[in-house]
Amino acid sequence: MNDPLQTKRYLDLAARCAMRGFGHVEPNPMVGAVIVKNDQVIGIGHHTKFGQFHAEREALANCKSQDNNPRGATLYCTLEPCSHTGKQPPCTQAVIQAGIARIVIARKDPADISCGGVQILQAAGIEVELTDISPNATHLSDPFIHRIKTGQPWVIAKWAQTLDGRIATRIGESQWISNPRCRKRVHRLRAKVDAIMIGVGTALADDPMLTARDCRSVRKLAKRVILDTNARLDPNSKLIQSASEVPTIICTAEPEKFEKTHCSIINAPIVNGRLDLRVVLSKLATEHDITTLMVEAGPRVLGSLIEHNLINEAIVHLAPGIMADDRAKAVAAGRDAPKLIDMRLFDLVRSKQIENDIELHYRKRSEL
């Protein structure tokens, strides 16, 4: 008899293992796999890097390296094994050849090219179970699935705020609301995402580099994305001057003003005086291969993203201070929300105390 608690435990383990691939595997999904026989883990693996072995083959290789026999075992996998030959042969083939008797999958693969693994495994006589008992395993592949279904990157909004919801003073001072340990966590995230986006207001106020600093390893040099409707960005800014070293994308309605720079340009239409963010996000995915996009912007950009329901995750650093200044800058602005029903709702995924600050991690209520 299958034990639901055991199933959750093994899928949670597979999900934790898969997270090691964040920043290495995109645009592929993060995937983890655990092989269990006689209630013992005999193999574990994850997709380590784009183009290399998938999680199932890594787990089988790990199993073999320990002289364990996977025949008759159960494979727990966060995503349906692929059924096509790409940079690697199909994982369904490896699972069948290894003699796996049963496979438990947290989520089906929606991609046309790689789906269909369940049917192939069942046709080979392998028992297949689909379960959402492990939220960690189920939601692990959200960025990958979101891009397939919407054609847009997974948007992670990050901000630091006071207890009364302010991200800067009335004159724009924001450095630093959060403590050094929180800021270090932000830089670790910068070192894993595909791109970091800000608005031109933030670029003009802070003249940032938007690079990951003080990290043990930078898995990925994130592209920098600036929303600049009317081409206000200073040609002498750090962002433009360093564009030959760090890929920089300017989204604007006046592209000709940046033609002599090393920046890539996204020419986006204007809707109600602002860039059409849906077009911007679609072009970031299709033209620049961006799957995960971190947003470190001000109230207007955050408000616009919220208005169009484009934020998938929010990471909030809550500092133990109160400004009590009605002219201090709020987290987001620019929307009309006269009723409570007009709020955008998120689910709290986890919280963590970091010295006197609290890190709150939210996700948009799932539509996938």
Side-chain angles (χ1 to χ4, degrees):
M1 184 176 178
N2 301 332
D3 184 347
L5 291 178
Q6 288 285 71
T7 296
K8 183 178 185 304
R9 183 165 73 89
Y10 293 133
L11 284 174
D12 282 346
L13 176 59
R16 290 196 302 272
C17 187
M19 284 296 295
R20 298 171 186 167
F22 186 13
H24 288 312
V25 303
E26 293 79 10
N28 281 358
M30 292 179 286
V31 183
V34 172
I35 302 172
V36 177
K37 190 173 184 179
N38 298 324
D39 295 325
Q40 296 292 321
V41 174
I42 61 171
I44 188 167
H46 69 285
H47 185 26
T48 59
K49 194 172 183 179
F50 179 73
Q52 295 185 1
F53 275 167
H54 292 179
E56 299 90 336
R57 289 182 179 271
E58 285 284 349
L60 289 167
N62 178 250
C63 187
K64 183 178 180 181
S65 71
Q66 301 178 76
D67 294 323
N68 292 323
N69 184 359
R71 186 162 298 277
T74 297
L75 171 65
Y76 294 85
C77 198
T78 60
L79 190 67
E80 177 183 17
C82 66
S83 59
H84 77 299
T85 298
K87 293 183 180 298
Q88 297 293 335
C91 292
T92 48
Q93 180 186 75
V95 171
I96 293 167
Q97 290 176 347
I100 294 291
R102 176 171 170 262
I103 182 167
V104 180
I105 301 168
R107 198 161 193 178
K108 292 196 72 174
D109 187 339
D112 291 338
I113 193 172
S114 54
C115 66
V118 167
Q119 290 85 349
I120 291 172
L121 294 169
Q122 288 175 329
I126 297 174
E127 178 188 349
V128 178
E129 177 186 350
L130 290 167
T131 177
D132 59 1
I133 197 169
S134 166
N136 291 335
T138 302
H139 293 298
L140 181 73
S141 53
D142 277 352
F144 169 73
I145 292 173
H146 176 77
R147 180 172 170 179
I148 289 173
K149 290 192 172 184
T150 68
Q152 297 176 352
W154 182 260
V155 175
I156 307 168
K158 169 270 160 188
W159 67 84
Q161 69 172 67
T162 60
L163 293 177
D164 54 342
R166 304 295 174 170
I167 64 171
T169 66
R170 64 169 65 191
I171 62 172
E173 183 183 355
S174 62
Q175 298 178 347
W176 298 102
I177 287 177
S178 59
N179 66 43
R181 285 183 58 196
C182 287
R183 299 198 296 273
K184 190 169 184 177
R185 289 171 69 86
V186 172
H187 280 271
R188 287 205 295 265
L189 182 58
R190 283 185 178 182
K192 297 176 183 177
V193 296
D194 293 327
I196 302 163
M197 185 168 78
I198 61 172
V200 69
T202 299
L204 293 174
D206 298 339
D207 194 20
M209 282 292 288
L210 298 181
T211 52
R213 299 183 296 279
D214 299 323
C215 299
R216 282 183 295 180
S217 67
V218 177
R219 298 184 181 185
K220 185 174 294 183
L221 181 61
K223 298 174 182 178
R224 304 177 301 191
V225 181
I226 302 95
L227 301 173
D228 188 4
T229 306
N230 302 118
R232 297 163 53 204
L233 189 60
D234 185 347
N236 295 314
S237 68
K238 293 177 183 176
L239 290 166
I240 289 184
Q241 290 299 310
S242 62
S244 60
E245 303 165 14
V246 183
T248 303
I249 304 164
I250 299 179
C251 309
T252 182
E254 300 183 31
E256 63 281 353
K257 293 188 178 181
F258 298 106
E259 287 178 351
K260 295 183 179 181
T261 70
H262 291 284
C263 300
S264 298
I265 307 298
I266 288 179
N267 186 2
I270 296 177
V271 178
N272 297 325
R274 303 182 68 82
L275 293 176
D276 188 327
L277 290 179
R278 294 187 184 278
V279 171
V280 168
L281 292 181
S282 295
K283 288 189 174 184
L284 287 174
T286 57
E287 297 177 7
H288 298 277
D289 204 22
I290 292 171
T291 298
T292 53
L293 174 67
M294 183 178 176
V295 178
E296 298 189 49
R300 289 290 174 180
V301 171
L302 287 174
S304 187
L305 288 167
I306 291 169
E307 172 65 22
H308 296 94
N309 207 21
L310 295 173
I311 294 176
N312 303 105
E313 270 185 81
I315 297 175
V316 183
H317 288 136
L318 183 63
I322 298 175
M323 289 188 189
D325 182 346
D326 59 5
R327 290 175 59 192
K329 296 183 184 298
V331 170
R335 295 186 70 227
D336 289 326
K339 299 179 180 179
L340 290 176
I341 198 172
D342 297 320
M343 288 192 300
R344 298 298 190 202
L345 298 177
F346 292 76
D347 291 323
L348 179 64
V349 177
R350 61 179 174 270
S351 61
K352 179 181 179 66
Q353 183 169 348
I354 304 172
E355 295 179 358
N356 282 335
D357 291 6
I358 302 292
E359 182 179 86
L360 301 168
H361 190 169
Y362 296 93
R363 282 200 177 202
K364 181 170 69 174
R365 293 193 175 170
S366 180
E367 299 172 358
L368 300 177

